[in-house]
Amino acid sequence: RLDVCTRGFWTPLDRAFTDIRVLHPQAQSNANTSLFQMYRRHENEKKSKYNDRVLQVEKATFTPLVFSTTGGMGNEAARFLKHLAVKLSNKSGQSYSDTVAFMRRRIRFDLLK
C-alpha cells in the first residue's frame, strides 16, 4: 500500500507515488551500519516492493521517502524535498532557501512527535 499519490510533481500530468519510512539509527539492528547504508537499504527495500508495480500497472513514478528519527533523510527524500521546495517557492513568491529551511524544520519537529 503506497502512502501518497500526486499528479504533476515530476512532470506535468504524470502521477508520482511515494511511500514513507522512518528508521531509528541507534536501533540494535543498525549497530554496525553507516547512516548512508541504512538509507540506501531502506530505499532499495521500498523500490523492490513497489517500483515494478507502479511503473507497469499504474504507469507512474515511484519515490521512496526514508527519514531517520534524528532528522536526517535519504538521497531520494532529499531530492524530492528540494523539488517540492522549488515548486512551493515559485508559487508563494518566497525565497527557495526560506522555503526549504521551513520544510526541513517542520519535518524534523514532526518526526520528534
Side-chain angles (χ1 to χ4, degrees), residues 21 29-30 33 36-46:
R21 178 176 285 182
S29 59
N30 297 324
T33 309
F36 175 78
Q37 290 171 330
M38 283 183 243
Y39 290 131
R40 178 64 62 199
R41 185 182 82 230
H42 288 284
E43 285 174 348
N44 288 338
E45 284 176 10
K46 290 289 186 183

Side-chain angles (χ1 to χ4, degrees), residues 84-110:
L84 181 59
V86 167
K87 286 183 166 286
L88 288 175
S89 66
N90 288 340
K91 186 172 184 171
S92 68
Q94 293 181 343
S95 70
Y96 169 79
S97 59
D98 289 341
T99 304
V100 77
F102 171 78
M103 290 172 55
R104 287 179 179 157
R105 188 171 43 249
R106 178 65 191 253
I107 288 171
R108 287 185 178 119
F109 277 114
D110 286 343

Side-chain angles (χ1 to χ4, degrees), residues 9-109:
F9 184 77
W10 295 112
T11 58
L13 301 178
D14 284 344
R15 289 186 305 164
F17 288 89
T18 63
D19 195 69
I20 301 162
R21 178 176 285 182
V22 178
L23 65 96
H24 184 59
Q26 286 86 27
Q28 288 278 341
S29 59
N30 297 324
N32 297 322
T33 309
S34 73
L35 201 54
F36 175 78
Q37 290 171 330
M38 283 183 243
Y39 290 131
R40 178 64 62 199
R41 185 182 82 230
H42 288 284
E43 285 174 348
N44 288 338
E45 284 176 10
K46 290 289 186 183
K47 283 182 183 179
S48 68
K49 187 173 181 180
Y50 296 116
N51 201 38
D52 286 339
R53 184 180 69 85
V54 169
L55 290 173
Q56 300 300 323
V57 176
E58 305 290 344
K59 306 289 191 238
T61 60
F62 174 69
T63 306
L65 303 179
V66 179
F67 300 96
S68 71
T69 56
T70 58
M73 64 187 80
N75 288 335
E76 302 250 359
R79 192 177 61 140
F80 184 89
L81 286 179
K82 286 177 185 176
H83 189 73
L84 181 59
V86 167
K87 286 183 166 286
L88 288 175
S89 66
N90 288 340
K91 186 172 184 171
S92 68
Q94 293 181 343
S95 70
Y96 169 79
S97 59
D98 289 341
T99 304
V100 77
F102 171 78
M103 290 172 55
R104 287 179 179 157
R105 188 171 43 249
R106 178 65 191 253
I107 288 171
R108 287 185 178 119
F109 277 114

